[in-house]
Short mmCIF file of all heavy atoms in Angstrom, two decimals:
data_model
loop_
_atom_site.label_atom_id
_atom_site.label_comp_id
_atom_site.label_asym_id
_atom_site.label_seq_id
_atom_site.Cartn_x
_atom_site.Cartn_y
_atom_site.Cartn_z
N CYS A 480 90.82 174.20 112.91
CA CYS A 480 90.10 172.92 113.00
C CYS A 480 90.91 171.73 112.52
O CYS A 480 90.34 170.78 112.00
CB CYS A 480 88.73 173.00 112.29
SG CYS A 480 87.56 174.10 113.10
N LYS A 481 92.22 171.79 112.65
CA LYS A 481 93.01 170.61 112.31
C LYS A 481 92.71 169.50 113.34
O LYS A 481 92.65 169.77 114.51
CB LYS A 481 94.53 171.00 112.36
CG LYS A 481 95.33 170.40 111.24
CD LYS A 481 96.76 170.98 111.22
CE LYS A 481 97.54 170.48 110.05
NZ LYS A 481 96.98 170.87 108.74
N ASN A 482 92.59 168.27 112.84
CA ASN A 482 92.31 167.20 113.80
C ASN A 482 93.58 166.69 114.46
O ASN A 482 94.67 166.98 113.98
CB ASN A 482 91.52 166.10 113.10
CG ASN A 482 92.30 165.32 112.05
OD1 ASN A 482 93.43 164.93 112.32
ND2 ASN A 482 91.71 165.12 110.89
N PRO A 483 93.45 165.99 115.56
CA PRO A 483 94.61 165.57 116.33
C PRO A 483 95.63 164.81 115.53
O PRO A 483 96.85 164.95 115.70
CB PRO A 483 94.01 164.72 117.42
CG PRO A 483 92.66 165.29 117.63
CD PRO A 483 92.20 165.68 116.28
N SER A 484 95.19 163.88 114.63
CA SER A 484 96.15 163.10 113.86
C SER A 484 96.98 163.96 112.93
O SER A 484 98.17 163.73 112.72
CB SER A 484 95.43 162.01 113.08
OG SER A 484 94.58 162.53 112.10
N GLU A 485 96.34 165.01 112.40
CA GLU A 485 97.11 165.92 111.51
C GLU A 485 98.10 166.73 112.30
O GLU A 485 99.25 166.94 111.85
CB GLU A 485 96.10 166.86 110.80
CG GLU A 485 95.18 166.20 109.81
CD GLU A 485 94.13 167.16 109.29
OE1 GLU A 485 93.53 167.92 110.08
OE2 GLU A 485 93.88 167.11 108.08
N VAL A 486 97.73 167.16 113.51
CA VAL A 486 98.69 167.92 114.31
C VAL A 486 99.84 167.04 114.74
O VAL A 486 101.01 167.43 114.68
CB VAL A 486 97.98 168.57 115.52
CG1 VAL A 486 98.99 169.27 116.43
CG2 VAL A 486 96.92 169.54 115.06
N ARG A 487 99.51 165.84 115.21
CA ARG A 487 100.55 164.94 115.65
C ARG A 487 101.49 164.59 114.50
O ARG A 487 102.71 164.40 114.72
CB ARG A 487 99.95 163.67 116.27
CG ARG A 487 99.31 163.91 117.64
CD ARG A 487 99.03 162.60 118.35
NE ARG A 487 97.98 161.83 117.67
CZ ARG A 487 96.68 161.94 117.97
NH1 ARG A 487 96.29 162.81 118.88
NH2 ARG A 487 95.80 161.23 117.33
N ALA A 488 100.97 164.56 113.31
CA ALA A 488 101.79 164.22 112.13
C ALA A 488 102.82 165.32 111.87
O ALA A 488 104.03 165.07 111.74
CB ALA A 488 100.91 164.00 110.90
N ILE A 489 102.39 166.57 111.87
CA ILE A 489 103.34 167.67 111.59
C ILE A 489 104.20 167.94 112.77
O ILE A 489 105.26 168.53 112.66
CB ILE A 489 102.58 168.97 111.16
CG1 ILE A 489 101.64 169.46 112.26
CG2 ILE A 489 101.84 168.76 109.87
CD1 ILE A 489 100.96 170.79 111.94
N ALA A 490 103.82 167.45 113.99
CA ALA A 490 104.64 167.62 115.17
C ALA A 490 105.61 166.46 115.36
O ALA A 490 106.27 166.38 116.42
CB ALA A 490 103.75 167.76 116.38
N GLY A 491 105.67 165.53 114.41
CA GLY A 491 106.60 164.40 114.54
C GLY A 491 106.11 163.34 115.51
O GLY A 491 106.92 162.60 116.06
N GLY A 492 104.81 163.25 115.71
CA GLY A 492 104.25 162.23 116.56
C GLY A 492 104.23 162.57 118.05
O GLY A 492 103.86 161.73 118.88
N VAL A 493 104.61 163.81 118.38
CA VAL A 493 104.67 164.18 119.83
C VAL A 493 103.22 164.37 120.33
O VAL A 493 102.42 165.05 119.67
CB VAL A 493 105.47 165.48 119.99
CG1 VAL A 493 105.37 165.96 121.44
CG2 VAL A 493 106.90 165.22 119.63
N TYR A 494 102.92 163.83 121.48
CA TYR A 494 101.63 164.02 122.14
C TYR A 494 101.80 165.05 123.24
O TYR A 494 102.84 165.08 123.93
CB TYR A 494 101.11 162.74 122.78
CG TYR A 494 100.52 161.77 121.78
CD1 TYR A 494 101.32 161.09 120.89
CD2 TYR A 494 99.14 161.61 121.74
CE1 TYR A 494 100.76 160.20 120.00
CE2 TYR A 494 98.60 160.71 120.83
CZ TYR A 494 99.38 160.00 119.96
OH TYR A 494 98.82 159.12 119.04
#
Side-chain angles (χ1 to χ4, degrees):
C480 290
K481 221 172 185 61
N482 67 48
S484 63
E485 293 173 318
V486 176
R487 288 193 292 269
I489 60 176
V493 173
Y494 282 73

